[in-house]
Amino acid sequence: MLFHVNSMSQILGWVLVFAGLIIMNEIGRRTKFGGILLFVIVPLILTVYFILAHVGMFGGANNPTVAYMDGWFHYFKLYAADIGCVGFMMIKYKWGIGKEKWFAWFPWFIVAANILIAVVSDMESALAAFRITGDFAGAWWASSEGVFIYGGWWNILNAIAGVINIFCMTGVINLYTSKDKNKSDMLWPDMTIAFIIAYDVWNFEYTYLNLPTHSWYCGFALLLAPTFANALWNKGAWIQNRANTLALWCMFAQVVPLFQISKTFSVLPSVYGGAGKDLAAIDLYDKAIELYSAGLGKTAAAGEAMEAFGITANPTTQGVVAFVAIAANVICIAVIIKRAVKLGKNPYSNDIWAGTRDYVEAMERAE
């Protein structure tokens, strides 16, 4: 059991996020106007809003964005994802440097950078646990995002899976624009289901370990949306869909953070053992921030606070998913190496998955 799902409102929240991301992604990908509106104009408006909120307008310190989403990580993810969206539009519409061959490396670098940030976060969690207990068997700590995290050896395993995942991105420079009327998609044909599964399992585990109170949405719903689209009607454009939905979710979460931590819609993961039906992420937030602000976030005080909430760590699922994540990525890279050796080709400047169904279906859409 991955989550404590206790009400229909939590399921409704998930459905709304999943459907909303798919619909907004379709608006953003199908026309130039939709893409510019969602990934250029809206972020510019939000930037002004964030600045004004931080100087005291729109409620100042009581503004939800300032109160609950003021950590650097949240802003970094939003703008990094949005930069990816704009870069992908430059490639598919051949705007400016987007038509240059060297710029084809941009998607690989931006995805790799985002993965490495997550790897660092995983290692931070593992080291926090080590600092508290002297081993990697597991310990609670409180993050700057107001979340109680149970770090341990599973973080190390997932960090290794993340590093491997970077090298599972093949056929890096062979990108195409879809041949439909609106040139809707940037296609990366060699990014097939093999990589997508390896990435999804790794990234879900990352959110499950490091953003546990958000992972029902930013892990489960957010990862499934682009994979669902890629499987059914948008073959070859998974990475574009992934960037679009990530940016859209980050914008929504930054402006309406209470949605995912409120008593109505928040869902706690199973690591929060013994969590009562009425306990929500928002109940834990203030205490986590209090400990972090007092410099006690990475001390035994975090575990004592969780004990006071009646929560006993249950990291079994964390460990199981970590093993699945590293297994998926080891298998993926092993197959890539085998195919590269057999073909006698560099897997990064050549298409290793040519001839597979996913690859062929993606190339059929290419201009």
Side-chain angles (χ1 to χ4, degrees), residues 67-71 74 141-149 210-214 261 268 272 280-293 297 306 309:
Y68 296 101
M69 300 291 281
D70 201 32
H74 298 299
W141 65 283
S143 75
S144 60
E145 281 78 40
V147 178
F148 284 101
I149 297 172
N210 300 285
L211 297 167
T213 56
H214 303 176
I261 65 173
L268 297 178
Y272 289 71
I282 197 167
D283 296 316
L284 305 171
Y285 179 87
D286 288 339
K287 187 62 179 178
I289 288 295
E290 177 188 326
L291 291 173
Y292 176 82
S293 300
M306 290 300 272
F309 278 110

Side-chain angles (χ1 to χ4, degrees), residues 33 116 133 153 165 209 213 226 252 260 267 284 294 332 337 359:
F33 173 76
L116 284 175
T133 64
W153 57 265
N165 191 250
L209 296 178
T213 56
F252 173 77
Q260 61 186 332
V267 177
L284 305 171
C332 187
I337 293 171
Y359 180 90

Side-chain angles (χ1 to χ4, degrees), residues 12-350:
L12 174 62
W14 188 92
V15 172
L16 289 173
V17 169
F18 177 71
L21 289 172
I22 288 179
I23 292 169
M24 295 304 292
N25 177 53
E26 291 301 303
I27 293 172
R29 62 170 275 261
R30 288 183 178 272
T31 65
K32 292 179 182 178
F33 173 76
I36 292 172
L37 173 65
L38 292 181
F39 305 117
V40 178
I41 296 175
V42 171
L44 287 174
I45 293 172
L46 289 181
T47 299
V48 174
Y49 168 74
F50 297 149
I51 293 172
L52 293 178
H54 275 82
V55 298
M57 296 181 66
F58 305 112
N62 294 320
N63 180 282
T65 297
V66 178
Y68 296 101
M69 300 291 281
D70 201 32
W72 70 268
F73 177 80
H74 298 299
Y75 288 107
F76 176 87
K77 291 300 292 185
L78 190 163
Y79 289 106
D82 192 60
I83 288 170
C85 297
V86 174
F88 297 169
M89 284 196 295
M90 292 172 67
I91 291 172
K92 74 175 180 178
Y93 294 130
K94 296 179 172 55
W95 290 340
I97 58 174
K99 60 179 176 287
E100 301 294 335
K101 192 66 176 177
W102 63 265
F103 195 69
W105 279 97
F106 172 78
W108 187 90
F109 275 109
I110 193 106
V111 176
N114 275 273
I115 291 174
L116 284 175
I117 290 293
V119 167
V120 170
S121 186
D122 260 323
M123 291 307 299
E124 178 191 16
S125 187
L127 292 172
F130 184 83
R131 174 180 172 179
I132 294 168
T133 64
D135 57 38
F136 295 105
W140 290 110
W141 65 283
S143 75
S144 60
E145 281 78 40
V147 178
F148 284 101
I149 297 172
Y150 198 69
W153 57 265
W154 34 85
N155 292 97
I156 298 174
L157 209 59
N158 201 55
I160 296 170
V163 172
I164 296 172
N165 191 250
I166 292 173
F167 297 98
C168 291
M169 291 186 285
T170 58
V172 176
I173 59 175
N174 297 325
L175 306 179
Y176 303 87
T177 297
S178 60
K179 61 185 177 183
D180 53 277
K181 179 181 178 181
N182 293 320
K183 301 184 184 301
S184 301
D185 301 303
M186 183 198 79
L187 304 176
W188 188 338
D190 218 44
M191 188 169 273
T192 64
I193 193 64
F195 170 80
I196 294 170
I197 290 174
Y199 177 94
D200 278 359
V201 177
W202 161 76
N203 193 263
F204 172 78
E205 175 71 342
Y206 163 72
T207 64
Y208 197 66
L209 296 178
N210 300 285
L211 297 167
T213 56
H214 303 176
S215 58
W216 176 245
Y217 298 110
C218 74
F220 186 23
L222 177 56
L223 284 166
L224 188 59
T227 301
F228 183 80
N230 181 85
L232 296 185
W233 67 83
N234 200 5
K235 188 68 70 176
W238 177 86
I239 190 61
Q240 172 196 267
N241 297 337
R242 166 59 179 165
N244 287 358
T245 52
L246 177 58
L248 289 164
W249 168 253
C250 288
M251 285 186 266
F252 173 77
Q254 200 71 3
V255 176
V256 195
L258 288 171
F259 175 85
Q260 61 186 332
I261 65 173
S262 68
K263 289 183 179 293
T264 303
F265 294 112
S266 73
V267 177
L268 297 178
S270 61
V271 69
Y272 289 71
K277 185 175 182 179
D278 295 327
L279 187 65
I282 197 167
D283 296 316
L284 305 171
Y285 179 87
D286 288 339
K287 187 62 179 178
I289 288 295
E290 177 188 326
L291 291 173
Y292 176 82
S293 300
L296 300 174
K298 296 179 180 179
T299 69
E304 294 168 1
M306 290 300 272
E307 192 174 322
F309 278 110
I311 294 175
T312 304
N314 179 23
T316 302
T317 304
Q318 294 191 148
V320 170
V321 180
F323 274 113
V324 174
I326 198 163
N329 279 278
V330 167
I331 291 171
C332 187
I333 195 68
V335 174
I336 288 169
I337 293 171
K338 181 180 178 180
R339 292 180 70 90
V341 171
K342 182 179 179 180
L343 296 171
K345 293 182 177 180
N346 182 319
Y348 305 106
S349 57
N350 295 278

